[in-house]
Amino acid sequence: MKDIFCRIIDGEIPSQRVYEDDDVIAILDISQTTTGHTLVIPKKHYESFLTCPAETVNKVMMIAQRIGQAEISILGAKGVNILTNCGEAAGQSVPHFHVHVIPRYVGGEGGFRIEMQSQDTSKLNLPMIAKEIADALKD
Ligand code: 5GP
């Protein structure tokens, strides 16, 4: 069964489109976390950022950058969050790669705050973890 973004791309479900080319669309997120919250989505289906070819990631990110710039210059945002959730454990609810571009305003709209909580790193073997990731990048 098609995911919701494939159905939007195919015109089966309406959306507020802010950008479209051969490879990418950008639409307003139905939830509008803040006013102007936009999703940038490759037309070809990839489950997440992690499984999307780099060339397509580049196209999506270039459009996300332009939309972020427009949110500041046109909507009056003072900052922008650009994020992508990969996997259910990370909060991904639609299994089709997409990047959120969320304008942030000073005062007024609350939006959200990403809390990065520290854990007790004394229990972690940080050199070993760093080596495991570094070794994986060599393959
Ligand atoms: P995720 O949770 O996967 O990172 O983000 C999925 C996003 O898609 C959510 O912010 C949600 O509001 C949005 N969304 C889900 N269904 C629709 C829809 O039918 N139309 C639009 N425009 N956005 C949707």
Side-chain angles (χ1 to χ4, degrees):
M1 204 178 81
K2 280 188 196 174
D3 65 75
I4 196 94
F5 292 160
C6 281
R7 296 185 66 198
I8 286 172
I9 289 159
D10 289 348
E12 296 169 11
I13 294 177
S15 64
Q16 298 295 333
R17 297 195 182 204
V18 303
Y19 177 84
E20 180 164 11
D21 64 25
D22 288 346
D23 304 309
V24 175
I25 65 162
I27 61 172
L28 292 184
D29 190 302
I30 205 163
S31 71
Q32 290 296 285
T33 298
T34 60
T35 303
H37 178 181
T38 299
L39 302 171
V40 190
I41 308 168
K43 286 186 174 175
K44 193 162 176 197
H45 178 94
Y46 299 103
E47 192 149 314
S48 82
F49 168 81
L50 299 178
T51 54
C52 183
E55 187 189 351
T56 304
V57 169
N58 287 343
K59 286 180 182 164
V60 168
M61 293 311 289
M62 282 170 56
I63 300 306
Q65 182 188 51
R66 287 177 60 194
I67 291 168
Q69 290 164 346
E71 288 173 348
I72 287 181
S73 63
I74 306 300
L75 296 185
K78 299 298 181 205
V80 177
N81 291 106
I82 294 184
L83 61 93
T84 183
N85 299 319
C86 304
E88 273 183 48
Q92 183 177 6
S93 60
V94 178
H96 183 134
F97 172 41
H98 54 282
V99 169
H100 296 258
V101 186
I102 307 174
R104 303 305 298 268
Y105 304 94
V106 175
E109 295 182 359
F112 64 97
R113 181 168 172 77
I114 299 172
E115 298 282 357
M116 301 274 188
Q117 290 167 354
S118 297
Q119 54 173 318
D120 179 3
T121 54
S122 67
K123 295 186 180 128
L124 300 175
N125 185 341
L126 294 181
M128 189 192 76
I129 294 165
K131 186 173 182 319
E132 280 177 352
I133 297 171
D135 286 348
L137 297 179
K138 289 176 191 155
D139 295 341

